[in-house]
Amino acid sequence: MLLGKQIMVSELNPKPIVLKIGGSAITFKEKPLTPNLRVMKRIAKEIAKAKVSRLLIVHGGGSFGHPIAREYAINEGFKDQTQNLGFCWTHNAMVTLNSLFVNMLIQHCIPAVGVAPSSCILTKHGRIHIFHDKAITKFFEASFVPVLYGDAVMDLAKGFSILSGDQLVSNLALRFEARRIIMGVDVDGLYTADPKEETGANLIPELTLEELKELEKSLRKSQTVDVTGGMLGKVRELIPVVEKGISVSIVNATKPNRIYNALKNKKALGTYIQKG
Ligand code: IP8
């Protein structure tokens, strides 16, 4: 009876929303392996309240994945055996963060299932090359909410690599023909400069595809690209999905109701990107 009802809902809304929760929102970035349980809990409440059918969640690494991956240079690929334990520590830290987040979601009655990217994805030169997505499809069909994450994965060209949550988001959005993407970050949206570094940075409320491409060019020229919270990487990954007509909202996941409003498709403070 209940299953019948759930299938009807997913038939009405066949296209999923892909929601990314940045690692800097759900962890304390400066404190290794420290989750921000307060923010995690609020986000879980907002997702539950929004009652979205067909949701796919991806989260980032924050202070769980990044420090260890950096220490062992996992993203540079295999150089010697001493990195193998670093690969394991990185993956294990992400499994721990995923488990904390999934646990919080389940506590709020969201049927969340953690899916390890390293078990279903192989990259080549750091880009997704093989993706066994059948289990995710099946989870969807049965109204579960798959929760993936940036992970240490095996790479066909360089041994292993780091797969970012942002690359995963754009791949999933294209693969499952998402209706929308929501990127929950730790700032209010995309800025003209790094808002944490420069006082004159202005929030960009709306962007077309052409403007997004221009922004990518200017971020590329900027000296501070890598300290802008990975915004260049985000912008790059988003271009192909916006090209396909999928709209993107970038909102502050650390502030109350921003994720809820984005899930309900209500415009609040943030950056909204549409093809044209
Ligand atoms: O935080 C990278 O995911 P991101 C995760 O989305 C790891 O870039 C393992 C560093």
Side-chain angles (χ1 to χ4, degrees):
M1 177 68 180
L2 180 64
L3 192 63
K5 211 170 169 186
Q6 284 171 336
I7 287 168
M8 266 173 62
V9 170
S10 57
E11 276 169 0
L12 286 173
N13 266 319
K15 294 182 171 186
I17 292 179
V18 181
L19 170 66
K20 161 102 195 271
I21 301 295
S24 48
I26 53 169
T27 71
F28 289 99
K29 252 202 144 170
E30 308 312 321
K31 295 184 198 159
L33 303 172
T34 313
N36 189 335
L37 296 173
R38 192 181 52 81
V39 167
M40 240 186 228
K41 187 173 180 175
R42 193 184 36 69
I43 291 172
K45 270 189 193 163
E46 291 183 27
I47 297 171
K49 193 171 125 194
K51 292 191 174 62
V52 170
S53 59
R54 287 226 161 190
L55 184 63
L56 237 170
I57 300 178
V58 176
H59 65 80
S63 67
F64 278 72
H66 288 279
I68 315 170
R70 205 174 303 125
E71 189 184 333
Y72 289 90
I74 303 302
N75 209 21
E76 290 167 28
F78 178 82
K79 289 174 198 159
D80 63 67
Q81 285 290 339
T82 62
Q83 287 171 294
N84 282 14
L85 266 184
F87 180 98
C88 301
W89 282 120
T90 306
H91 169 67
N92 196 49
M94 290 310 299
V95 170
T96 304
L97 180 61
N98 181 254
S99 162
L100 288 169
F101 192 34
V102 167
N103 188 49
M104 198 66 93
L105 294 168
I106 297 171
Q107 277 181 33
H108 288 82
C109 298
I110 298 156
V113 182
V115 177
S118 53
S119 301
C120 53
I121 295 174
L122 290 170
T123 55
K124 194 169 184 181
H125 300 292
R127 304 300 299 174
I128 294 174
H129 191 67
I130 295 171
F131 192 160
H132 294 289
D133 60 11
K134 202 89 199 138
I136 298 175
T137 306
K138 284 299 187 193
F139 280 137
F140 261 156
E141 284 171 10
S143 299
F144 287 103
V145 176
V147 185
L148 291 87
Y149 47 90
D151 201 2
V153 297
M154 296 309 285
D155 187 287
L156 296 176
K158 54 180 184 170
F160 44 63
S161 186
I162 293 294
L163 169 63
S164 77
D166 293 337
Q167 187 188 153
L168 205 43
V169 163
S170 77
N171 186 289
L172 288 166
L174 295 172
R175 185 175 291 270
F176 291 102
E177 298 179 329
R179 64 189 130 132
R180 278 181 309 118
I181 290 177
I182 300 167
M183 306 288 278
V185 292
D186 66 339
V187 290
D188 286 340
L190 286 181
Y191 283 79
T192 49
D194 183 355
K196 290 176 185 163
E197 300 283 318
E198 291 180 40
T199 45
N202 294 317
L203 179 69
I204 308 168
E206 283 178 7
L207 276 173
T208 61
L209 174 63
E210 286 319 306
E211 290 164 341
L212 187 69
K213 286 182 179 171
E214 285 307 312
L215 182 70
E216 196 260 348
K217 270 187 217 154
S218 70
L219 283 174
R220 226 184 313 151
K221 279 182 210 145
S222 147
Q223 291 299 302
T224 57
V225 284
D226 280 331
V227 290
T228 56
M231 281 303 172
L232 174 62
K234 234 176 258 313
V235 165
R236 273 201 181 137
E237 296 295 349
L238 290 176
I239 290 174
V241 291
V242 178
E243 260 165 3
K244 285 274 179 225
I246 301 169
S247 64
V248 181
S249 314
I250 304 179
V251 297
N252 195 335
T254 69
K255 301 270 173 73
N257 287 321
R258 303 276 173 88
I259 293 294
Y260 173 76
N261 282 326
L263 286 169
K264 298 304 274 183
N265 211 6
K266 287 185 198 160
K267 270 199 182 173
L269 199 62
T271 299
Y272 297 88
I273 311 168
Q274 259 177 344
K275 191 171 180 182

